[in-house]
Amino acid sequence: MHQLKNILLAYLKTGISEDNNDEKNRKIFIINLFGFVGMLITMLMAINAIVKAHYTLAALLFFACSIFYLGRYIQKVTQNYQLSSSIILYSLFILMFYLIQTGGVNNTGPLWIFMVAPVALFIDGLKKGLFDIAIFLMVIATLLFFPEDALLSTSYTTDFKLRLIYSFLTVTFLSSFYEHSRQQSYRYMQEISQKYEELSKIDPLTHLANRRDALTKLSYEQRRIKRNNSTIGIILCDIDYFKRVNDAYGHEAGDLVLVKLAQFMSANIREQDTLARWGGEEFLFIFPDTNKKQADIFAHKLHHLLKSFTVNYKQQSIQITLSMGVNEININDSITEAIRIADNYLYQAKEAGRDQIFPKLTNNKP
């Protein structure tokens, strides 16, 4: 039984990939399920038709059974779930037309049409699904109400025809309402998920990238530089004597210093660069396609610009200086180790009296 379950799950998961989003994988799984159920039902109906000596119907049902399987096979080979779903849906339409036209077994064939609305709406979505259902409804109405039943090889009472159409419209309305609600809920959940995903990457005070997002960007850039044999420049910096700002002016002033400094530094980097709040009063610069010397040049430029940077708080001017540690990340370097080295340089800059840049690569002055 366990092995049978695994075989069934493998069948239903055909086409599902980690590269797809959850909604696409869910749709692929359900389409495979529709195809499997359709194949199973048509096979059972075909066997029943043979038992009752309806050989033409049985042949058509076996053909429909093979078409349902073909939809899954095409998806497996082409990875095109939309083509597969169209084959399943329109094969279902054709089968329903035949069952209405012939009556199926004991004129019960038309009762299967109620599965059309939910399947069409799920596969094609609300707008296209309703369009497909409208076409389907026009065809079956033509079959049922053509003068003197000329298009039917069986006969139904007028009451049966009308109730069949009314019931189908009711099921379509309910299915449409459900699909609309499902789509609205899915969009809402997507928006909420995206909002929280964005918030999880942003420092709430400075609106810079946070440590988590900085590490993600470093990993991405390291994968990218492997293609062009480049390096990533990094600067880890710390506000000098930040505790004194909080003690002298209060934490509100300290927060203002962090915000204003973040805005000032962000205005002086390139569009492709990243500035992140690494933690507390520490910031991390990430410079793609930049070596250690080039990062050092920027550090000296920033060091010079900060001499004229002040934060005004309650008619008082707060002067800010930074200690900085400069490093680079090569193709095969460990990101953690590269940041640790930059942190060691930052520590040396503090030990040397703060407002320093380490290592002392150049005497760069803008």
Side-chain angles (χ1 to χ4, degrees), residues 41-68:
I41 290 175
T42 50
M43 183 182 293
L44 293 174
M45 290 171 63
I47 293 171
N48 184 58
I50 289 175
V51 170
K52 295 188 176 183
H54 297 289
Y55 300 117
T56 303
L57 177 60
L60 179 69
L61 290 170
F62 276 124
F63 179 74
C65 177
S66 65
I67 293 296
F68 284 126

PDB file of all heavy atoms in Angstrom, residues 41-68:
ATOM      1  N   ILE A  41     -12.084   7.515 -14.325  1.00  0.00           N
ATOM      2  CA  ILE A  41     -13.546   7.495 -14.500  1.00  0.00           C
ATOM      3  C   ILE A  41     -13.927   7.020 -15.902  1.00  0.00           C
ATOM      4  O   ILE A  41     -14.837   6.190 -16.066  1.00  0.00           O
ATOM      5  CB  ILE A  41     -14.146   8.883 -14.221  1.00  0.00           C
ATOM      6  CG1 ILE A  41     -14.053   9.198 -12.716  1.00  0.00           C
ATOM      7  CG2 ILE A  41     -15.592   8.971 -14.686  1.00  0.00           C
ATOM      8  CD1 ILE A  41     -14.501  10.586 -12.339  1.00  0.00           C
ATOM      9  N   THR A  42     -13.235   7.551 -16.924  1.00  0.00           N
ATOM     10  CA  THR A  42     -13.578   7.146 -18.291  1.00  0.00           C
ATOM     11  C   THR A  42     -13.266   5.672 -18.534  1.00  0.00           C
ATOM     12  O   THR A  42     -13.986   4.995 -19.280  1.00  0.00           O
ATOM     13  CB  THR A  42     -12.825   8.015 -19.320  1.00  0.00           C
ATOM     14  OG1 THR A  42     -11.429   8.053 -18.995  1.00  0.00           O
ATOM     15  CG2 THR A  42     -13.376   9.418 -19.357  1.00  0.00           C
ATOM     16  N   MET A  43     -12.230   5.166 -17.865  1.00  0.00           N
ATOM     17  CA  MET A  43     -11.916   3.743 -17.998  1.00  0.00           C
ATOM     18  C   MET A  43     -13.032   2.892 -17.397  1.00  0.00           C
ATOM     19  O   MET A  43     -13.484   1.901 -18.002  1.00  0.00           O
ATOM     20  CB  MET A  43     -10.590   3.412 -17.317  1.00  0.00           C
ATOM     21  CG  MET A  43     -10.152   1.954 -17.469  1.00  0.00           C
ATOM     22  SD  MET A  43      -8.614   1.615 -16.601  1.00  0.00           S
ATOM     23  CE  MET A  43      -7.470   2.596 -17.570  1.00  0.00           C
ATOM     24  N   LEU A  44     -13.506   3.282 -16.205  1.00  0.00           N
ATOM     25  CA  LEU A  44     -14.594   2.543 -15.551  1.00  0.00           C
ATOM     26  C   LEU A  44     -15.883   2.639 -16.369  1.00  0.00           C
ATOM     27  O   LEU A  44     -16.631   1.663 -16.501  1.00  0.00           O
ATOM     28  CB  LEU A  44     -14.811   3.081 -14.135  1.00  0.00           C
ATOM     29  CG  LEU A  44     -13.669   2.830 -13.137  1.00  0.00           C
ATOM     30  CD1 LEU A  44     -13.946   3.538 -11.818  1.00  0.00           C
ATOM     31  CD2 LEU A  44     -13.484   1.329 -12.908  1.00  0.00           C
ATOM     32  N   MET A  45     -16.137   3.853 -16.906  1.00  0.00           N
ATOM     33  CA  MET A  45     -17.328   4.027 -17.739  1.00  0.00           C
ATOM     34  C   MET A  45     -17.233   3.171 -19.010  1.00  0.00           C
ATOM     35  O   MET A  45     -18.236   2.611 -19.474  1.00  0.00           O
ATOM     36  CB  MET A  45     -17.496   5.501 -18.117  1.00  0.00           C
ATOM     37  CG  MET A  45     -17.901   6.405 -16.960  1.00  0.00           C
ATOM     38  SD  MET A  45     -17.828   8.162 -17.399  1.00  0.00           S
ATOM     39  CE  MET A  45     -19.057   8.243 -18.701  1.00  0.00           C
ATOM     40  N   ALA A  46     -16.015   3.087 -19.567  1.00  0.00           N
ATOM     41  CA  ALA A  46     -15.821   2.281 -20.780  1.00  0.00           C
ATOM     42  C   ALA A  46     -16.082   0.805 -20.496  1.00  0.00           C
ATOM     43  O   ALA A  46     -16.734   0.113 -21.292  1.00  0.00           O
ATOM     44  CB  ALA A  46     -14.408   2.482 -21.308  1.00  0.00           C
ATOM     45  N   ILE A  47     -15.568   0.334 -19.353  1.00  0.00           N
ATOM     46  CA  ILE A  47     -15.800  -1.073 -18.973  1.00  0.00           C
ATOM     47  C   ILE A  47     -17.289  -1.326 -18.770  1.00  0.00           C
ATOM     48  O   ILE A  47     -17.837  -2.354 -19.214  1.00  0.00           O
ATOM     49  CB  ILE A  47     -15.003  -1.409 -17.699  1.00  0.00           C
ATOM     50  CG1 ILE A  47     -13.493  -1.359 -18.001  1.00  0.00           C
ATOM     51  CG2 ILE A  47     -15.388  -2.789 -17.162  1.00  0.00           C
ATOM     52  CD1 ILE A  47     -12.624  -1.452 -16.759  1.00  0.00           C
ATOM     53  N   ASN A  48     -17.976  -0.364 -18.136  1.00  0.00           N
ATOM     54  CA  ASN A  48     -19.415  -0.495 -17.920  1.00  0.00           C
ATOM     55  C   ASN A  48     -20.169  -0.508 -19.254  1.00  0.00           C
ATOM     56  O   ASN A  48     -21.145  -1.258 -19.441  1.00  0.00           O
ATOM     57  CB  ASN A  48     -19.908   0.661 -17.047  1.00  0.00           C
ATOM     58  CG  ASN A  48     -21.380   0.544 -16.707  1.00  0.00           C
ATOM     59  OD1 ASN A  48     -21.823  -0.449 -16.126  1.00  0.00           O
ATOM     60  ND2 ASN A  48     -22.141   1.557 -17.083  1.00  0.00           N
ATOM     61  N   ALA A  49     -19.687   0.323 -20.185  1.00  0.00           N
ATOM     62  CA  ALA A  49     -20.332   0.367 -21.504  1.00  0.00           C
ATOM     63  C   ALA A  49     -20.161  -0.958 -22.245  1.00  0.00           C
ATOM     64  O   ALA A  49     -21.074  -1.421 -22.936  1.00  0.00           O
ATOM     65  CB  ALA A  49     -19.741   1.512 -22.325  1.00  0.00           C
ATOM     66  N   ILE A  50     -19.005  -1.601 -22.090  1.00  0.00           N
ATOM     67  CA  ILE A  50     -18.780  -2.902 -22.722  1.00  0.00           C
ATOM     68  C   ILE A  50     -19.716  -3.944 -22.131  1.00  0.00           C
ATOM     69  O   ILE A  50     -20.324  -4.753 -22.856  1.00  0.00           O
ATOM     70  CB  ILE A  50     -17.307  -3.336 -22.535  1.00  0.00           C
ATOM     71  CG1 ILE A  50     -16.392  -2.460 -23.390  1.00  0.00           C
ATOM     72  CG2 ILE A  50     -17.128  -4.805 -22.903  1.00  0.00           C
ATOM     73  CD1 ILE A  50     -14.921  -2.740 -23.189  1.00  0.00           C
ATOM     74  N   VAL A  51     -19.856  -3.912 -20.797  1.00  0.00           N
ATOM     75  CA  VAL A  51     -20.741  -4.865 -20.120  1.00  0.00           C
ATOM     76  C   VAL A  51     -22.173  -4.738 -20.645  1.00  0.00           C
ATOM     77  O   VAL A  51     -22.886  -5.732 -20.806  1.00  0.00           O
ATOM     78  CB  VAL A  51     -20.687  -4.657 -18.590  1.00  0.00           C
ATOM     79  CG1 VAL A  51     -21.777  -5.470 -17.895  1.00  0.00           C
ATOM     80  CG2 VAL A  51     -19.313  -5.027 -18.052  1.00  0.00           C
ATOM     81  N   LYS A  52     -22.569  -3.471 -20.943  1.00  0.00           N
ATOM     82  CA  LYS A  52     -23.938  -3.237 -21.406  1.00  0.00           C
ATOM     83  C   LYS A  52     -24.034  -3.223 -22.933  1.00  0.00           C
ATOM     84  O   LYS A  52     -25.034  -2.770 -23.491  1.00  0.00           O
ATOM     85  CB  LYS A  52     -24.453  -1.924 -20.827  1.00  0.00           C
ATOM     86  CG  LYS A  52     -24.573  -1.976 -19.306  1.00  0.00           C
ATOM     87  CD  LYS A  52     -25.265  -0.773 -18.734  1.00  0.00           C
ATOM     88  CE  LYS A  52     -25.434  -0.919 -17.226  1.00  0.00           C
ATOM     89  NZ  LYS A  52     -26.163   0.202 -16.621  1.00  0.00           N
ATOM     90  N   ALA A  53     -22.942  -3.676 -23.583  1.00  0.00           N
ATOM     91  CA  ALA A  53     -22.922  -3.837 -25.043  1.00  0.00           C
ATOM     92  C   ALA A  53     -23.009  -2.518 -25.802  1.00  0.00           C
ATOM     93  O   ALA A  53     -23.450  -2.491 -26.957  1.00  0.00           O
ATOM     94  CB  ALA A  53     -24.034  -4.785 -25.486  1.00  0.00           C
ATOM     95  N   HIS A  54     -22.593  -1.407 -25.181  1.00  0.00           N
ATOM     96  CA  HIS A  54     -22.514  -0.123 -25.879  1.00  0.00           C
ATOM     97  C   HIS A  54     -21.076   0.048 -26.387  1.00  0.00           C
ATOM     98  O   HIS A  54     -20.277   0.790 -25.828  1.00  0.00           O
ATOM     99  CB  HIS A  54     -22.899   1.031 -24.938  1.00  0.00           C
ATOM    100  CG  HIS A  54     -24.311   0.972 -24.441  1.00  0.00           C
ATOM    101  ND1 HIS A  54     -25.406   1.218 -25.248  1.00  0.00           N
ATOM    102  CD2 HIS A  54     -24.808   0.683 -23.210  1.00  0.00           C
ATOM    103  CE1 HIS A  54     -26.507   1.102 -24.545  1.00  0.00           C
ATOM    104  NE2 HIS A  54     -26.182   0.767 -23.300  1.00  0.00           N
ATOM    105  N   TYR A  55     -20.781  -0.639 -27.479  1.00  0.00           N
ATOM    106  CA  TYR A  55     -19.387  -0.748 -27.913  1.00  0.00           C
ATOM    107  C   TYR A  55     -18.843   0.562 -28.495  1.00  0.00           C
ATOM    108  O   TYR A  55     -17.665   0.884 -28.308  1.00  0.00           O
ATOM    109  CB  TYR A  55     -19.246  -1.887 -28.921  1.00  0.00           C
ATOM    110  CG  TYR A  55     -19.648  -3.225 -28.336  1.00  0.00           C
ATOM    111  CD1 TYR A  55     -20.733  -3.937 -28.852  1.00  0.00           C
ATOM    112  CD2 TYR A  55     -18.949  -3.766 -27.257  1.00  0.00           C
ATOM    113  CE1 TYR A  55     -21.123  -5.153 -28.300  1.00  0.00           C
ATOM    114  CE2 TYR A  55     -19.327  -4.983 -26.709  1.00  0.00           C
ATOM    115  CZ  TYR A  55     -20.406  -5.667 -27.219  1.00  0.00           C
ATOM    116  OH  TYR A  55     -20.780  -6.865 -26.670  1.00  0.00           O
ATOM    117  N   THR A  56     -19.664   1.284 -29.184  1.00  0.00           N
ATOM    118  CA  THR A  56     -19.205   2.576 -29.727  1.00  0.00           C
ATOM    119  C   THR A  56     -18.859   3.541 -28.602  1.00  0.00           C
ATOM    120  O   THR A  56     -17.822   4.216 -28.620  1.00  0.00           O
ATOM    121  CB  THR A  56     -20.283   3.200 -30.634  1.00  0.00           C
ATOM    122  OG1 THR A  56     -20.602   2.285 -31.682  1.00  0.00           O
ATOM    123  CG2 THR A  56     -19.793   4.509 -31.231  1.00  0.00           C
ATOM    124  N   LEU A  57     -19.748   3.604 -27.605  1.00  0.00           N
ATOM    125  CA  LEU A  57     -19.491   4.445 -26.442  1.00  0.00           C
ATOM    126  C   LEU A  57     -18.235   3.986 -25.715  1.00  0.00           C
ATOM    127  O   LEU A  57     -17.406   4.806 -25.292  1.00  0.00           O
ATOM    128  CB  LEU A  57     -20.697   4.412 -25.499  1.00  0.00           C
ATOM    129  CG  LEU A  57     -20.549   5.202 -24.185  1.00  0.00           C
ATOM    130  CD1 LEU A  57     -20.294   6.679 -24.459  1.00  0.00           C
ATOM    131  CD2 LEU A  57     -21.789   5.013 -23.304  1.00  0.00           C
ATOM    132  N   ALA A  58     -18.073   2.699 -25.569  1.00  0.00           N
ATOM    133  CA  ALA A  58     -16.900   2.161 -24.885  1.00  0.00           C
ATOM    134  C   ALA A  58     -15.616   2.559 -25.608  1.00  0.00           C
ATOM    135  O   ALA A  58     -14.617   2.945 -24.983  1.00  0.00           O
ATOM    136  CB  ALA A  58     -16.999   0.642 -24.782  1.00  0.00           C
ATOM    137  N   ALA A  59     -15.633   2.475 -26.955  1.00  0.00           N
ATOM    138  CA  ALA A  59     -14.447   2.841 -27.736  1.00  0.00           C
ATOM    139  C   ALA A  59     -14.095   4.315 -27.536  1.00  0.00           C
ATOM    140  O   ALA A  59     -12.925   4.680 -27.364  1.00  0.00           O
ATOM    141  CB  ALA A  59     -14.685   2.550 -29.216  1.00  0.00           C
ATOM    142  N   LEU A  60     -15.122   5.166 -27.531  1.00  0.00           N
ATOM    143  CA  LEU A  60     -14.887   6.600 -27.327  1.00  0.00           C
ATOM    144  C   LEU A  60     -14.336   6.861 -25.926  1.00  0.00           C
ATOM    145  O   LEU A  60     -13.424   7.676 -25.746  1.00  0.00           O
ATOM    146  CB  LEU A  60     -16.176   7.384 -27.548  1.00  0.00           C
ATOM    147  CG  LEU A  60     -16.037   8.897 -27.331  1.00  0.00           C
ATOM    148  CD1 LEU A  60     -15.183   9.512 -28.430  1.00  0.00           C
ATOM    149  CD2 LEU A  60     -17.377   9.566 -27.260  1.00  0.00           C
ATOM    150  N   LEU A  61     -14.883   6.164 -24.945  1.00  0.00           N
ATOM    151  CA  LEU A  61     -14.425   6.369 -23.569  1.00  0.00           C
ATOM    152  C   LEU A  61     -12.988   5.902 -23.384  1.00  0.00           C
ATOM    153  O   LEU A  61     -12.203   6.538 -22.676  1.00  0.00           O
ATOM    154  CB  LEU A  61     -15.362   5.649 -22.593  1.00  0.00           C
ATOM    155  CG  LEU A  61     -16.764   6.263 -22.451  1.00  0.00           C
ATOM    156  CD1 LEU A  61     -17.681   5.333 -21.669  1.00  0.00           C
ATOM    157  CD2 LEU A  61     -16.682   7.624 -21.779  1.00  0.00           C
ATOM    158  N   PHE A  62     -12.633   4.796 -24.017  1.00  0.00           N
ATOM    159  CA  PHE A  62     -11.245   4.353 -23.949  1.00  0.00           C
ATOM    160  C   PHE A  62     -10.321   5.361 -24.643  1.00  0.00           C
ATOM    161  O   PHE A  62      -9.198   5.612 -24.191  1.00  0.00           O
ATOM    162  CB  PHE A  62     -11.085   2.969 -24.597  1.00  0.00           C
ATOM    163  CG  PHE A  62     -11.406   1.832 -23.675  1.00  0.00           C
ATOM    164  CD1 PHE A  62     -12.361   0.877 -24.008  1.00  0.00           C
ATOM    165  CD2 PHE A  62     -10.736   1.702 -22.445  1.00  0.00           C
ATOM    166  CE1 PHE A  62     -12.657  -0.178 -23.154  1.00  0.00           C
ATOM    167  CE2 PHE A  62     -11.032   0.650 -21.596  1.00  0.00           C
ATOM    168  CZ  PHE A  62     -11.987  -0.291 -21.943  1.00  0.00           C
ATOM    169  N   PHE A  63     -10.813   5.942 -25.730  1.00  0.00           N
ATOM    170  CA  PHE A  63     -10.029   6.980 -26.420  1.00  0.00           C
ATOM    171  C   PHE A  63      -9.845   8.197 -25.511  1.00  0.00           C
ATOM    172  O   PHE A  63      -8.744   8.763 -25.420  1.00  0.00           O
ATOM    173  CB  PHE A  63     -10.732   7.377 -27.722  1.00  0.00           C
ATOM    174  CG  PHE A  63     -10.008   8.452 -28.484  1.00  0.00           C
ATOM    175  CD1 PHE A  63      -8.846   8.159 -29.179  1.00  0.00           C
ATOM    176  CD2 PHE A  63     -10.497   9.751 -28.497  1.00  0.00           C
ATOM    177  CE1 PHE A  63      -8.166   9.159 -29.878  1.00  0.00           C
ATOM    178  CE2 PHE A  63      -9.831  10.750 -29.182  1.00  0.00           C
ATOM    179  CZ  PHE A  63      -8.664  10.452 -29.876  1.00  0.00           C
ATOM    180  N   ALA A  64     -10.937   8.604 -24.836  1.00  0.00           N
ATOM    181  CA  ALA A  64     -10.853   9.735 -23.901  1.00  0.00           C
ATOM    182  C   ALA A  64      -9.890   9.429 -22.771  1.00  0.00           C
ATOM    183  O   ALA A  64      -9.118  10.296 -22.327  1.00  0.00           O
ATOM    184  CB  ALA A  64     -12.242  10.053 -23.349  1.00  0.00           C
ATOM    185  N   CYS A  65      -9.916   8.188 -22.303  1.00  0.00           N
ATOM    186  CA  CYS A  65      -9.001   7.742 -21.240  1.00  0.00           C
ATOM    187  C   CYS A  65      -7.546   7.928 -21.677  1.00  0.00           C
ATOM    188  O   CYS A  65      -6.714   8.425 -20.915  1.00  0.00           O
ATOM    189  CB  CYS A  65      -9.289   6.280 -20.905  1.00  0.00           C
ATOM    190  SG  CYS A  65      -8.185   5.588 -19.667  1.00  0.00           S
ATOM    191  N   SER A  66      -7.253   7.557 -22.925  1.00  0.00           N
ATOM    192  CA  SER A  66      -5.883   7.694 -23.429  1.00  0.00           C
ATOM    193  C   SER A  66      -5.500   9.165 -23.597  1.00  0.00           C
ATOM    194  O   SER A  66      -4.341   9.540 -23.394  1.00  0.00           O
ATOM    195  CB  SER A  66      -5.732   6.955 -24.760  1.00  0.00           C
ATOM    196  OG  SER A  66      -6.538   7.550 -25.764  1.00  0.00           O
ATOM    197  N   ILE A  67      -6.477  10.011 -23.945  1.00  0.00           N
ATOM    198  CA  ILE A  67      -6.203  11.442 -24.092  1.00  0.00           C
ATOM    199  C   ILE A  67      -5.849  12.058 -22.738  1.00  0.00           C
ATOM    200  O   ILE A  67      -4.934  12.885 -22.624  1.00  0.00           O
ATOM    201  CB  ILE A  67      -7.416  12.178 -24.711  1.00  0.00           C
ATOM    202  CG1 ILE A  67      -7.620  11.735 -26.153  1.00  0.00           C
ATOM    203  CG2 ILE A  67      -7.212  13.687 -24.647  1.00  0.00           C
ATOM    204  CD1 ILE A  67      -6.491  12.094 -27.090  1.00  0.00           C
ATOM    205  N   PHE A  68      -6.554  11.664 -21.681  1.00  0.00           N
ATOM    206  CA  PHE A  68      -6.245  12.165 -20.339  1.00  0.00           C
ATOM    207  C   PHE A  68      -4.824  11.782 -19.926  1.00  0.00           C
ATOM    208  O   PHE A  68      -4.113  12.563 -19.315  1.00  0.00           O
ATOM    209  CB  PHE A  68      -7.261  11.632 -19.325  1.00  0.00           C
ATOM    210  CG  PHE A  68      -8.600  12.313 -19.391  1.00  0.00           C
ATOM    211  CD1 PHE A  68      -9.773  11.586 -19.538  1.00  0.00           C
ATOM    212  CD2 PHE A  68      -8.695  13.694 -19.306  1.00  0.00           C
ATOM    213  CE1 PHE A  68     -11.007  12.204 -19.595  1.00  0.00           C
ATOM    214  CE2 PHE A  68      -9.925  14.330 -19.365  1.00  0.00           C
ATOM    215  CZ  PHE A  68     -11.084  13.584 -19.518  1.00  0.00           C
TER     216      PHE A  68
END
